[in-house]
Amino acid sequence: MAVPTDRRLTQRGEERRRQLVDYATARFAENGFHPTSVAEIVEGLGVGKGVFYWYFDSKEELLRAILSDAQHDLRRTQRDAIADAGSPTERIERGIRASIEWSIEHRDYFRLFQFAATDGRFSSNLRTGEQVAVRDAARHLAEAMAAGEIAAGDPELLSHAILGVHTHLVHLVHRGLLDPTPAELDAAVSFCLYGLLGPRTKG
Amino acid sequence: MAVPTDRRLTQRGEERRRQLVDYATARFAENGFHPTSVAEIVEGLGVGKGVFYWYFDSKEELLRAILSDAQHDLRRTQRDAIADAGSPTERIERGIRASIEWSIEHRDYFRLFQFAATDGRFSSNLRTGEQVAVRDAARHLAEAMAAGEIAAGDPELLSHAILGVHTHLVHLVHRGLLDPTPAELDAAVSFCLYGLLGPRTKG
DNA sequence: AGGGTAGTTGACTGAGCGGTCAAGGAACGC
DNA sequence: GCGTTCCTTGACCGCTCAGTCAACTACCCT
C-alpha cells in the first residue's frame, strides 16, 4: 500500500521512476497539476496504472518529490555560482544571475514553483527552500551593508524584493515577451543593484 | 443552455449573482479553483445546483467574470490614485503605492490573479489587463526619463521589474511575513525608485 | 385575477477521477 | 532449475465531478 521511503530500486526501477518524474513534470507544467490525471501519465508512457503506485503513494506525493528535486538543484546551482566571488556585492550579483539563468533554463520547474505557491497543499514545501535562499541572500546583503557597499536597510525585505524582480522577469522570458539577452539581464540586475544602493552622496 | 450575455436580471437576480460571485471568489481563493466544486458553492449558499447554471455557463466562465471584475476595480483605483499627481515620478510612486495597497486589501483577488497566471486557460485573461497597466506605467517612466528625473532605460522592462517587486512583497504580507507598515512600504517604494534612478553623478 | 417571465429545485447522467489488487512476468542469486 | 524479490498489468471500485432538465415557485405587469 504505502511505498516505503527506503525501497531499494534496481537500475530498471530507477529508470522507470525517472521516466515517471520527467514525464509528469512536463505534463504538470504544461497542463496544470489538477487537470493532469494519473491515467494520462501512465498512458503517455505506455505502462499500466499500477506502475505509478509502485513508485508513488499519490499524485500529490509525486509533485512534492518533483518540487524537492527542483529546489535542491536550484540551491546547488546557486552555491556553485557564488563559490568563488570576492565581495558580498559580487556574491549578490552572481546569485541573482545564476537564479535567473537557472529559472530560464528550467522552465517546467519554474512553472511548478509558481503553481505550488498558489496551492495551500504545496506552498509549505516551497517555504522552507525559499526561506533558506532568502536568509542566505540576506546574509550577503547584511555583509555588504556592513562593508558600506550598499545602503542600510532590512536585508530580508530587500532579498525578497530582488526575488520579486527575478521571478517576474523570468515569467516574461517564458511568455516570450522578453529576450534573455545579456543586455536585458544587465538592466534587471542593475535595477536591483541601484535599488540596493539607495541614496548616495556620490556615484 | 447558454446564458445570454444580455440577460435582464431583476434586483433579486442581481443579488443572487453577487452572492455566487462573492462566495465563489472566497472559496476559489481559499481552496483553489480546481479543488472547489460547483456543488460546494451552491451548498455553501444553500441553493440548488440549477441556480449556478442559471447565471453562469460553467465554472470557468465564473472565474473569468471574477477576474474581469477584479481587473477593472484595480484599474479604476490606479487611475484615481494618479489623477492629481504633478510630475511623472510622482505618478509612478502613487501608482506603485495604490497597487500595493489595493493588492493587500483585496487578498482574494490577488490570489486568484496569482493562480490564473499559472493556468493556460486563464492567463490570457490577465495578459490584456497587465499589458494595459504596464504600458501605462511605461509611459510615465518614459516621461520621467525625458524630464531627466530618472535614468534612461527600457520603460517596459522597468515597469515589469516594479510589478515584480510589488507582487512579491504583497505575497509576503498575505503570508504574514511582512507587516504593511508605512516604513516597510516606503522601503519597497524606495528600492524601486532608486533602481530606476540608476547611476548618478550626484544624489 | 391571471398570465408571463425570472428564478429555483434536486434528482439524474455519463464521464472521469484517484487509488486498489490479484495475478503474472522478468531478473537475479543460488 | 528454483525460489525470491522486483516490477508490471489492467480490470475494477467507490466516488465525485460538471453539467442537464422537467417540474415548480415567486414575482411583476396589466
Side-chain angles (χ1 to χ4, degrees), chain B residues 10 13 16 48 50 55:
Chain B
T10 63
R16 185 65 93 198
Y55 295 98

Side-chain angles (χ1 to χ4, degrees), chain A residues 71-133:
Chain A
Q71 280 183 310
H72 284 118
D73 193 65
L74 170 57
R75 184 127 186 80
R76 200 181 320 118
T77 303
Q78 284 172 330
R79 246 203 313 260
D80 292 351
I82 65 173
D84 55 349
S87 67
T89 307
E90 199 181 341
R91 275 196 285 280
I92 295 164
E93 180 169 346
R94 292 203 188 179
I96 296 174
R97 283 186 194 279
S99 301
I100 292 179
E101 282 159 15
W102 182 92
S103 301
I104 289 173
E105 199 177 341
H106 299 82
R107 189 192 162 125
D108 288 351
Y109 281 163
F110 183 81
R111 296 192 67 167
L112 292 183
F113 281 165
Q114 297 268 99
F115 162 75
T118 72
D119 192 307
R121 290 161 200 77
F122 304 107
S123 55
S124 58
N125 293 79
L126 294 186
R127 295 208 185 151
T128 317
E130 186 188 285
Q131 218 166 47
V132 170

Side-chain angles (χ1 to χ4, degrees), chain A residues 153-165:
Chain A
D154 177 343
E156 288 213 6
L157 175 67
L158 293 170
S159 298
H160 277 293
I162 293 172
L163 187 52
V165 174

Side-chain angles (χ1 to χ4, degrees), chain B residues 36-47:
Chain B
T36 301
S37 68
V38 174
E40 185 185 333
I41 294 168
V42 294
E43 277 161 25
L45 290 175
V47 299

Side-chain angles (χ1 to χ4, degrees), chain B residues 100-130:
Chain B
I100 292 178
E101 281 159 16
W102 183 91
S103 301
I104 289 173
E105 199 177 342
H106 298 82
R107 188 190 164 127
D108 289 351
Y109 281 162
F110 182 81
R111 295 192 68 167
L112 293 184
F113 282 164
Q114 296 268 99
F115 163 75
T118 71
D119 191 306
R121 290 161 201 78
F122 304 107
S123 55
S124 58
N125 292 79
L126 294 186
R127 296 208 184 151
T128 317
E130 185 187 284

